[in-house]
Amino acid sequence: MAADAEHDASRRGDPDLAEELERALAEHQFLLLYQPTIDLKDDAFVGVEALLRWRHPIRGTISPDEFLPVLESTGLINAVGSWVLTTACRQGADWYARGHRFSVSINVSRQQLEQPSLPSEVARALADSTFDPRHLVLEFSERTLAGGAELRATLERLKETGVQLAIDDFGMEPGNASLLESLPIDIVKIDRTFVSDLSTSTSHAARVHQLVQLGQLRHVQTVAQGIEDDDQRLRLQSENVDVGQGFLFSVPHDAEAIDRFLEDYAIFSGKPL
Ligand code: C2E
Ligand code: MG
């Protein structure tokens, strides 16, 4: 096991870290960064993905890979996930009120999806914030949904709130085609692994082609994650991928920096936002 993985695994059951995370929630140390998503056909700014960060008083800003496993194993993800949901809905409603009509995606862990109260919680967050449900996207990893026939009823109740549902990290698990047949999915997000070596790996290029075809067959929107250079963007464009996300367009930013990004983007692209 690599030193980092060993460190993470040993911290997974770390009671000190669990306690610190509980305090972090109470003391408002979590924040959301937002990463833009761009329409690959006409360069329009179509949305943002909300990404959790922990602003640690000593260690600075910490990425979710370092603490998400502990949030999930302790069940704290339910409280933190509620905060993510309400914060993202409020922020989305604020952008919307200022004329920025784009979608806001949030990531949802399996533990949250297993809570029978999730659909009513989503409905309440939408009603309280007045955010248009059609602009909220809930992302579930492919692994979360795999083999989860029992999750179908919850996903259908979520759909009844008017939100869109996305499969994140799409293409990694076997049998993913059946998820699109059996579950009410609107969007698939092609895993970054396939995008990163699109130009050097013919098998990954073929996989991207296959995933896009599958998405089109099922009439779902396709999003490519982790686009870092123009060559990748052009290849994905020629595959007719709908939307792109990645450092080529923008790293994740806090809400104020997204406001500035929107202004610059409108000037640069000449598009009214
Ligand atoms: P994800 O949902 O697949 O999010 C995309 C990740 O890829 C983000 O990492 C983002 O910063 C990174 N990324 C975006 N563009 C590029 C690129 O061009 N190159 C590279 N190398 N990376 C890129 P981040 O923010 O560290 O998040 C990691 C994972 O943590 C997320 O993966 C998601 O599964 C999870 N996560 C983040 N926020 C939340 C949350 O609020 N709740 C839950 N349950 N999970 C979250
Ligand atoms: Mg995601």
Side-chain angles (χ1 to χ4, degrees), residues 35 49 52-53 64 68 107 109 168-169 192 226 228 246-247:
Q35 187 178 30
E49 175 175 4
L52 185 63
R53 295 290 182 269
L68 204 58
N107 293 282
S109 292
D168 215 350
D169 315 324
R192 175 152 53 89
E228 293 184 352
F247 296 163

Side-chain angles (χ1 to χ4, degrees), residues 39-240:
D39 188 313
L40 289 181
K41 292 185 183 69
D42 65 4
D43 291 334
F45 187 112
V46 287
V48 290
E49 175 175 4
L51 295 160
L52 185 63
R53 295 290 182 269
W54 176 12
R55 214 167 9 195
H56 192 281
I58 297 160
R59 293 174 59 204
T61 304
I62 304 180
S63 289
D65 289 345
E66 282 199 48
F67 59 85
L68 204 58
V70 177
L71 289 182
E72 290 177 341
S73 66
T74 55
L76 257 175
I77 189 64
N78 290 314
V80 174
S82 297
W83 175 83
V84 170
L85 171 67
T86 52
T87 306
C89 283
R90 274 191 212 132
Q91 185 58 59
D94 178 57
W95 277 318
Y96 199 94
R98 288 187 283 128
H100 300 311
R101 310 276 150 98
F102 54 73
S103 66
V104 178
S105 300
I106 60 169
N107 293 282
V108 181
S109 292
R110 178 159 185 130
Q111 287 82 351
Q112 296 172 265
L113 187 56
E114 284 169 348
Q115 297 289 309
S117 58
L118 183 66
S120 53
E121 208 187 303
V122 168
R124 198 170 48 244
L126 288 164
D128 289 351
S129 63
T130 72
F131 188 40
D132 183 338
R134 291 169 302 174
H135 289 102
L136 179 66
V137 181
L138 306 185
E139 297 186 6
F140 305 98
S141 76
E142 189 175 70
R143 187 170 296 178
T144 288
L145 299 178
E150 73 279 9
L151 300 172
R152 188 190 161 92
T154 313
L155 292 171
E156 274 167 359
R157 284 177 56 221
L158 284 169
K159 275 303 297 170
E160 282 163 19
T161 66
V163 301
Q164 300 195 64
L165 305 181
I167 308 182
D168 215 350
D169 315 324
F170 193 61
M172 296 301 278
E173 303 280 322
N176 56 2
S178 68
L179 294 180
L180 290 185
E181 278 166 44
S182 59
L183 301 175
I185 298 299
D186 306 286
I187 299 164
V188 291
K189 299 189 74 172
I190 298 169
D191 195 80
R192 175 152 53 89
T193 319
F194 303 116
V195 173
S196 64
D197 48 10
L198 200 52
S199 20
T200 49
S201 159
T202 45
S203 68
H204 279 184
R207 186 75 175 131
V208 168
H209 180 76
Q210 192 188 25
L211 294 170
V212 175
Q213 297 290 306
L214 184 61
Q216 286 172 349
L217 185 72
R218 293 283 158 204
H219 304 290
V220 297
Q221 186 184 65
T222 50
V223 181
Q225 314 199 65
I227 305 178
E228 293 184 352
D229 62 46
D230 232 21
D231 179 62
Q232 291 164 346
R233 181 179 66 85
L234 292 170
R235 283 171 190 268
L236 293 159
Q237 241 172 1
S238 68
E239 287 290 349
N240 289 317

Side-chain angles (χ1 to χ4, degrees), residues 1 3-15 17 70:
M1 194 187 279
D4 275 0
E6 210 168 282
H7 176 74
D8 282 355
S10 68
R11 292 218 79 187
R12 202 159 292 184
D14 182 342
L17 181 55
V70 177

